[in-house]
Amino acid sequence: MDINLIPLAARAEYSGTQYARIARTEREQVRREAEAFGLFDAKGREIGHSYSIDREIWVVDAGSSTLCEIDKLEDRLEETFLVAPHSMRNGAKFGALPVASFKRFRTLAEARAHAEKVMTRARKAAAKKASA
């Protein structure tokens, strides 16, 4: 995105990197799925996994405290879909997830495909934990 299209009040620069101030104007959960795999860990808890897909709309906003690098701004603005996976034990969310595991996509189809890959990997990992 051309930096000249961003209002001066919405720009920031730190350590030589240019940022734009952005704000989320809308967020809604599009899809949520949870699955228990019927396998148990060493402590006898049932292993499962869940994910949610959230639809978010972001805009440039000079009053916001959220910063986004100018180079990544075009991918972040307008409508995006955020996939947030989470592991489960006995039907409840288990453990902390790093924000790096959240992935952002431009279309719902891409987000759903990624979520299915996450669930497939989780099933394989659960099988390994159950057999250990």
Side-chain angles (χ1 to χ4, degrees):
M1 174 172 254
D2 185 14
I3 193 165
N4 295 323
L5 297 175
I6 301 167
L8 192 57
R11 295 186 217 164
E13 186 173 337
Y14 300 102
S15 303
T17 305
Q18 294 189 336
Y19 296 90
R21 296 182 184 282
I22 60 173
R24 183 177 58 217
T25 60
E26 189 177 326
R27 183 176 189 168
E28 68 174 308
Q29 193 170 78
V30 176
R31 181 177 174 90
R32 185 180 191 302
E33 187 174 317
E35 183 178 343
F37 301 134
L39 303 169
F40 297 87
D41 65 5
K43 294 183 178 180
R45 300 173 295 196
E46 187 174 24
I47 301 170
H49 207 77
S50 70
Y51 71 86
S52 66
I53 300 176
D54 296 340
R55 179 181 157 269
E56 297 182 340
I57 297 179
W58 291 81
V59 296
V60 173
D61 181 7
S64 176
S65 60
T66 304
L67 298 176
C68 180
E69 290 182 34
I70 297 290
D71 300 342
K72 299 176 183 174
L73 188 61
E74 200 162 308
D75 293 335
R76 191 73 178 267
L77 290 181
E78 302 300 326
E79 182 179 65
T80 60
F81 294 91
L82 181 72
V83 178
H86 213 291
S87 59
M88 296 170 41
R89 295 294 185 274
N90 289 338
K93 287 185 176 179
F94 175 78
L97 260 185
V99 174
S101 66
F102 292 22
K103 300 282 185 223
R104 190 173 304 281
F105 298 93
R106 293 303 263 164
T107 66
L108 182 58
E110 291 173 330
R112 283 186 175 174
H114 176 73
E116 290 304 318
K117 283 188 221 175
V118 167
M119 292 299 276
T120 301
R121 277 187 249 133
R123 282 185 202 96
K124 290 178 184 176
K128 285 182 184 178
K129 285 180 185 174
S131 65

mmCIF file with all atom_site columns, all heavy atoms in Angstrom, residues 76-91:
data_model
loop_
_atom_site.group_PDB
_atom_site.id
_atom_site.type_symbol
_atom_site.label_atom_id
_atom_site.label_alt_id
_atom_site.label_comp_id
_atom_site.label_asym_id
_atom_site.label_entity_id
_atom_site.label_seq_id
_atom_site.pdbx_PDB_ins_code
_atom_site.Cartn_x
_atom_site.Cartn_y
_atom_site.Cartn_z
_atom_site.occupancy
_atom_site.B_iso_or_equiv
_atom_site.pdbx_formal_charge
_atom_site.auth_seq_id
_atom_site.auth_comp_id
_atom_site.auth_asym_id
_atom_site.auth_atom_id
_atom_site.pdbx_PDB_model_num
ATOM 1   N N   . ARG A 1 76 ? -4.082  -6.776  5.912  1.00 0.00 ? 76 ARG A N   1
ATOM 2   C CA  . ARG A 1 76 ? -4.825  -6.645  7.162  1.00 0.00 ? 76 ARG A CA  1
ATOM 3   C C   . ARG A 1 76 ? -6.120  -5.855  7.007  1.00 0.00 ? 76 ARG A C   1
ATOM 4   O O   . ARG A 1 76 ? -7.080  -6.086  7.728  1.00 0.00 ? 76 ARG A O   1
ATOM 5   C CB  . ARG A 1 76 ? -3.915  -5.961  8.176  1.00 0.00 ? 76 ARG A CB  1
ATOM 6   C CG  . ARG A 1 76 ? -4.415  -5.968  9.590  1.00 0.00 ? 76 ARG A CG  1
ATOM 7   C CD  . ARG A 1 76 ? -4.282  -7.356  10.198 1.00 0.00 ? 76 ARG A CD  1
ATOM 8   N NE  . ARG A 1 76 ? -4.702  -7.370  11.556 1.00 0.00 ? 76 ARG A NE  1
ATOM 9   C CZ  . ARG A 1 76 ? -3.898  -7.198  12.593 1.00 0.00 ? 76 ARG A CZ  1
ATOM 10  N NH1 . ARG A 1 76 ? -2.629  -6.999  12.414 1.00 0.00 ? 76 ARG A NH1 1
ATOM 11  N NH2 . ARG A 1 76 ? -4.383  -7.247  13.807 1.00 0.00 ? 76 ARG A NH2 1
ATOM 12  N N   . LEU A 1 77 ? -6.153  -4.921  6.081  1.00 0.00 ? 77 LEU A N   1
ATOM 13  C CA  . LEU A 1 77 ? -7.327  -4.059  5.948  1.00 0.00 ? 77 LEU A CA  1
ATOM 14  C C   . LEU A 1 77 ? -8.489  -4.776  5.278  1.00 0.00 ? 77 LEU A C   1
ATOM 15  O O   . LEU A 1 77 ? -8.317  -5.777  4.608  1.00 0.00 ? 77 LEU A O   1
ATOM 16  C CB  . LEU A 1 77 ? -6.970  -2.804  5.153  1.00 0.00 ? 77 LEU A CB  1
ATOM 17  C CG  . LEU A 1 77 ? -6.068  -1.810  5.856  1.00 0.00 ? 77 LEU A CG  1
ATOM 18  C CD1 . LEU A 1 77 ? -5.829  -0.615  4.962  1.00 0.00 ? 77 LEU A CD1 1
ATOM 19  C CD2 . LEU A 1 77 ? -6.640  -1.365  7.184  1.00 0.00 ? 77 LEU A CD2 1
ATOM 20  N N   . GLU A 1 78 ? -9.651  -4.202  5.445  1.00 0.00 ? 78 GLU A N   1
ATOM 21  C CA  . GLU A 1 78 ? -10.900 -4.717  4.895  1.00 0.00 ? 78 GLU A CA  1
ATOM 22  C C   . GLU A 1 78 ? -11.297 -6.010  5.613  1.00 0.00 ? 78 GLU A C   1
ATOM 23  O O   . GLU A 1 78 ? -10.994 -6.195  6.764  1.00 0.00 ? 78 GLU A O   1
ATOM 24  C CB  . GLU A 1 78 ? -10.812 -4.907  3.376  1.00 0.00 ? 78 GLU A CB  1
ATOM 25  C CG  . GLU A 1 78 ? -10.463 -3.649  2.613  1.00 0.00 ? 78 GLU A CG  1
ATOM 26  C CD  . GLU A 1 78 ? -11.453 -2.517  2.804  1.00 0.00 ? 78 GLU A CD  1
ATOM 27  O OE1 . GLU A 1 78 ? -12.655 -2.782  2.945  1.00 0.00 ? 78 GLU A OE1 1
ATOM 28  O OE2 . GLU A 1 78 ? -11.014 -1.362  2.827  1.00 0.00 ? 78 GLU A OE2 1
ATOM 29  N N   . GLU A 1 79 ? -11.933 -6.935  4.918  1.00 0.00 ? 79 GLU A N   1
ATOM 30  C CA  . GLU A 1 79 ? -12.448 -8.152  5.532  1.00 0.00 ? 79 GLU A CA  1
ATOM 31  C C   . GLU A 1 79 ? -11.371 -9.243  5.549  1.00 0.00 ? 79 GLU A C   1
ATOM 32  O O   . GLU A 1 79 ? -10.776 -9.543  4.526  1.00 0.00 ? 79 GLU A O   1
ATOM 33  C CB  . GLU A 1 79 ? -13.661 -8.646  4.739  1.00 0.00 ? 79 GLU A CB  1
ATOM 34  C CG  . GLU A 1 79 ? -14.302 -9.872  5.322  1.00 0.00 ? 79 GLU A CG  1
ATOM 35  C CD  . GLU A 1 79 ? -15.500 -10.303 4.522  1.00 0.00 ? 79 GLU A CD  1
ATOM 36  O OE1 . GLU A 1 79 ? -15.324 -10.696 3.354  1.00 0.00 ? 79 GLU A OE1 1
ATOM 37  O OE2 . GLU A 1 79 ? -16.602 -10.254 5.069  1.00 0.00 ? 79 GLU A OE2 1
ATOM 38  N N   . THR A 1 80 ? -11.136 -9.817  6.716  1.00 0.00 ? 80 THR A N   1
ATOM 39  C CA  . THR A 1 80 ? -10.211 -10.945 6.851  1.00 0.00 ? 80 THR A CA  1
ATOM 40  C C   . THR A 1 80 ? -10.858 -11.998 7.739  1.00 0.00 ? 80 THR A C   1
ATOM 41  O O   . THR A 1 80 ? -11.792 -11.718 8.488  1.00 0.00 ? 80 THR A O   1
ATOM 42  C CB  . THR A 1 80 ? -8.858  -10.519 7.467  1.00 0.00 ? 80 THR A CB  1
ATOM 43  O OG1 . THR A 1 80 ? -9.076  -9.964  8.749  1.00 0.00 ? 80 THR A OG1 1
ATOM 44  C CG2 . THR A 1 80 ? -8.131  -9.529  6.583  1.00 0.00 ? 80 THR A CG2 1
ATOM 45  N N   . PHE A 1 81 ? -10.325 -13.205 7.661  1.00 0.00 ? 81 PHE A N   1
ATOM 46  C CA  . PHE A 1 81 ? -10.824 -14.315 8.469  1.00 0.00 ? 81 PHE A CA  1
ATOM 47  C C   . PHE A 1 81 ? -9.672  -14.853 9.310  1.00 0.00 ? 81 PHE A C   1
ATOM 48  O O   . PHE A 1 81 ? -8.606  -15.167 8.787  1.00 0.00 ? 81 PHE A O   1
ATOM 49  C CB  . PHE A 1 81 ? -11.395 -15.412 7.572  1.00 0.00 ? 81 PHE A CB  1
ATOM 50  C CG  . PHE A 1 81 ? -12.611 -14.960 6.831  1.00 0.00 ? 81 PHE A CG  1
ATOM 51  C CD1 . PHE A 1 81 ? -12.497 -14.378 5.577  1.00 0.00 ? 81 PHE A CD1 1
ATOM 52  C CD2 . PHE A 1 81 ? -13.873 -15.076 7.389  1.00 0.00 ? 81 PHE A CD2 1
ATOM 53  C CE1 . PHE A 1 81 ? -13.612 -13.936 4.892  1.00 0.00 ? 81 PHE A CE1 1
ATOM 54  C CE2 . PHE A 1 81 ? -14.992 -14.629 6.718  1.00 0.00 ? 81 PHE A CE2 1
ATOM 55  C CZ  . PHE A 1 81 ? -14.867 -14.065 5.465  1.00 0.00 ? 81 PHE A CZ  1
ATOM 56  N N   . LEU A 1 82 ? -9.877  -14.941 10.616 1.00 0.00 ? 82 LEU A N   1
ATOM 57  C CA  . LEU A 1 82 ? -8.854  -15.341 11.558 1.00 0.00 ? 82 LEU A CA  1
ATOM 58  C C   . LEU A 1 82 ? -9.168  -16.735 12.074 1.00 0.00 ? 82 LEU A C   1
ATOM 59  O O   . LEU A 1 82 ? -10.248 -16.969 12.623 1.00 0.00 ? 82 LEU A O   1
ATOM 60  C CB  . LEU A 1 82 ? -8.805  -14.350 12.723 1.00 0.00 ? 82 LEU A CB  1
ATOM 61  C CG  . LEU A 1 82 ? -7.772  -14.599 13.790 1.00 0.00 ? 82 LEU A CG  1
ATOM 62  C CD1 . LEU A 1 82 ? -6.379  -14.281 13.233 1.00 0.00 ? 82 LEU A CD1 1
ATOM 63  C CD2 . LEU A 1 82 ? -8.053  -13.728 15.000 1.00 0.00 ? 82 LEU A CD2 1
ATOM 64  N N   . VAL A 1 83 ? -8.219  -17.680 11.896 1.00 0.00 ? 83 VAL A N   1
ATOM 65  C CA  . VAL A 1 83 ? -8.381  -19.042 12.398 1.00 0.00 ? 83 VAL A CA  1
ATOM 66  C C   . VAL A 1 83 ? -7.625  -19.152 13.716 1.00 0.00 ? 83 VAL A C   1
ATOM 67  O O   . VAL A 1 83 ? -6.432  -18.872 13.778 1.00 0.00 ? 83 VAL A O   1
ATOM 68  C CB  . VAL A 1 83 ? -7.834  -20.082 11.394 1.00 0.00 ? 83 VAL A CB  1
ATOM 69  C CG1 . VAL A 1 83 ? -7.956  -21.491 11.959 1.00 0.00 ? 83 VAL A CG1 1
ATOM 70  C CG2 . VAL A 1 83 ? -8.565  -19.980 10.071 1.00 0.00 ? 83 VAL A CG2 1
ATOM 71  N N   . ALA A 1 84 ? -8.340  -19.542 14.770 1.00 0.00 ? 84 ALA A N   1
ATOM 72  C CA  . ALA A 1 84 ? -7.746  -19.673 16.102 1.00 0.00 ? 84 ALA A CA  1
ATOM 73  C C   . ALA A 1 84 ? -7.933  -21.107 16.605 1.00 0.00 ? 84 ALA A C   1
ATOM 74  O O   . ALA A 1 84 ? -9.018  -21.475 17.058 1.00 0.00 ? 84 ALA A O   1
ATOM 75  C CB  . ALA A 1 84 ? -8.397  -18.693 17.061 1.00 0.00 ? 84 ALA A CB  1
ATOM 76  N N   . PRO A 1 85 ? -6.887  -21.944 16.507 1.00 0.00 ? 85 PRO A N   1
ATOM 77  C CA  . PRO A 1 85 ? -6.992  -23.327 16.981 1.00 0.00 ? 85 PRO A CA  1
ATOM 78  C C   . PRO A 1 85 ? -6.727  -23.413 18.487 1.00 0.00 ? 85 PRO A C   1
ATOM 79  O O   . PRO A 1 85 ? -6.095  -22.531 19.068 1.00 0.00 ? 85 PRO A O   1
ATOM 80  C CB  . PRO A 1 85 ? -5.899  -24.048 16.206 1.00 0.00 ? 85 PRO A CB  1
ATOM 81  C CG  . PRO A 1 85 ? -4.865  -22.996 15.980 1.00 0.00 ? 85 PRO A CG  1
ATOM 82  C CD  . PRO A 1 85 ? -5.610  -21.693 15.849 1.00 0.00 ? 85 PRO A CD  1
ATOM 83  N N   . HIS A 1 86 ? -7.216  -24.483 19.131 1.00 0.00 ? 86 HIS A N   1
ATOM 84  C CA  . HIS A 1 86 ? -6.953  -24.683 20.551 1.00 0.00 ? 86 HIS A CA  1
ATOM 85  C C   . HIS A 1 86 ? -7.078  -26.153 20.908 1.00 0.00 ? 86 HIS A C   1
ATOM 86  O O   . HIS A 1 86 ? -8.001  -26.814 20.462 1.00 0.00 ? 86 HIS A O   1
ATOM 87  C CB  . HIS A 1 86 ? -7.931  -23.873 21.394 1.00 0.00 ? 86 HIS A CB  1
ATOM 88  C CG  . HIS A 1 86 ? -7.324  -23.398 22.670 1.00 0.00 ? 86 HIS A CG  1
ATOM 89  N ND1 . HIS A 1 86 ? -7.004  -24.241 23.690 1.00 0.00 ? 86 HIS A ND1 1
ATOM 90  C CD2 . HIS A 1 86 ? -6.953  -22.176 23.058 1.00 0.00 ? 86 HIS A CD2 1
ATOM 91  C CE1 . HIS A 1 86 ? -6.465  -23.544 24.675 1.00 0.00 ? 86 HIS A CE1 1
ATOM 92  N NE2 . HIS A 1 86 ? -6.423  -22.281 24.309 1.00 0.00 ? 86 HIS A NE2 1
ATOM 93  N N   . SER A 1 87 ? -6.156  -26.632 21.715 1.00 0.00 ? 87 SER A N   1
ATOM 94  C CA  . SER A 1 87 ? -6.244  -28.022 22.153 1.00 0.00 ? 87 SER A CA  1
ATOM 95  C C   . SER A 1 87 ? -7.232  -28.129 23.315 1.00 0.00 ? 87 SER A C   1
ATOM 96  O O   . SER A 1 87 ? -7.515  -27.148 24.000 1.00 0.00 ? 87 SER A O   1
ATOM 97  C CB  . SER A 1 87 ? -4.870  -28.552 22.568 1.00 0.00 ? 87 SER A CB  1
ATOM 98  O OG  . SER A 1 87 ? -4.353  -27.775 23.617 1.00 0.00 ? 87 SER A OG  1
ATOM 99  N N   . MET A 1 88 ? -7.764  -29.332 23.522 1.00 0.00 ? 88 MET A N   1
ATOM 100 C CA  . MET A 1 88 ? -8.763  -29.556 24.564 1.00 0.00 ? 88 MET A CA  1
ATOM 101 C C   . MET A 1 88 ? -8.435  -30.819 25.349 1.00 0.00 ? 88 MET A C   1
ATOM 102 O O   . MET A 1 88 ? -7.849  -31.755 24.816 1.00 0.00 ? 88 MET A O   1
ATOM 103 C CB  . MET A 1 88 ? -10.159 -29.710 23.936 1.00 0.00 ? 88 MET A CB  1
ATOM 104 C CG  . MET A 1 88 ? -10.659 -28.482 23.235 1.00 0.00 ? 88 MET A CG  1
ATOM 105 S SD  . MET A 1 88 ? -12.162 -28.729 22.263 1.00 0.00 ? 88 MET A SD  1
ATOM 106 C CE  . MET A 1 88 ? -13.160 -29.757 23.249 1.00 0.00 ? 88 MET A CE  1
ATOM 107 N N   . ARG A 1 89 ? -8.832  -30.820 26.615 1.00 0.00 ? 89 ARG A N   1
ATOM 108 C CA  . ARG A 1 89 ? -8.780  -32.021 27.448 1.00 0.00 ? 89 ARG A CA  1
ATOM 109 C C   . ARG A 1 89 ? -10.122 -32.120 28.156 1.00 0.00 ? 89 ARG A C   1
ATOM 110 O O   . ARG A 1 89 ? -10.578 -31.147 28.776 1.00 0.00 ? 89 ARG A O   1
ATOM 111 C CB  . ARG A 1 89 ? -7.664  -31.949 28.499 1.00 0.00 ? 89 ARG A CB  1
ATOM 112 C CG  . ARG A 1 89 ? -6.260  -31.918 27.927 1.00 0.00 ? 89 ARG A CG  1
ATOM 113 C CD  . ARG A 1 89 ? -5.913  -33.233 27.218 1.00 0.00 ? 89 ARG A CD  1
ATOM 114 N NE  . ARG A 1 89 ? -4.537  -33.257 26.767 1.00 0.00 ? 89 ARG A NE  1
ATOM 115 C CZ  . ARG A 1 89 ? -4.099  -32.771 25.617 1.00 0.00 ? 89 ARG A CZ  1
ATOM 116 N NH1 . ARG A 1 89 ? -4.950  -32.209 24.786 1.00 0.00 ? 89 ARG A NH1 1
ATOM 117 N NH2 . ARG A 1 89 ? -2.836  -32.853 25.283 1.00 0.00 ? 89 ARG A NH2 1
ATOM 118 N N   . ASN A 1 90 ? -10.747 -33.272 28.049 1.00 0.00 ? 90 ASN A N   1
ATOM 119 C CA  . ASN A 1 90 ? -12.065 -33.505 28.657 1.00 0.00 ? 90 ASN A CA  1
ATOM 120 C C   . ASN A 1 90 ? -13.083 -32.444 28.256 1.00 0.00 ? 90 ASN A C   1
ATOM 121 O O   . ASN A 1 90 ? -13.900 -31.997 29.054 1.00 0.00 ? 90 ASN A O   1
ATOM 122 C CB  . ASN A 1 90 ? -11.962 -33.597 30.182 1.00 0.00 ? 90 ASN A CB  1
ATOM 123 C CG  . ASN A 1 90 ? -11.284 -34.872 30.623 1.00 0.00 ? 90 ASN A CG  1
ATOM 124 O OD1 . ASN A 1 90 ? -11.245 -35.860 29.897 1.00 0.00 ? 90 ASN A OD1 1
ATOM 125 N ND2 . ASN A 1 90 ? -10.727 -34.851 31.811 1.00 0.00 ? 90 ASN A ND2 1
ATOM 126 N N   . GLY A 1 91 ? -13.013 -31.980 27.020 1.00 0.00 ? 91 GLY A N   1
ATOM 127 C CA  . GLY A 1 91 ? -13.990 -31.043 26.487 1.00 0.00 ? 91 GLY A CA  1
ATOM 128 C C   . GLY A 1 91 ? -13.777 -29.589 26.848 1.00 0.00 ? 91 GLY A C   1
ATOM 129 O O   . GLY A 1 91 ? -14.570 -28.744 26.489 1.00 0.00 ? 91 GLY A O   1
#
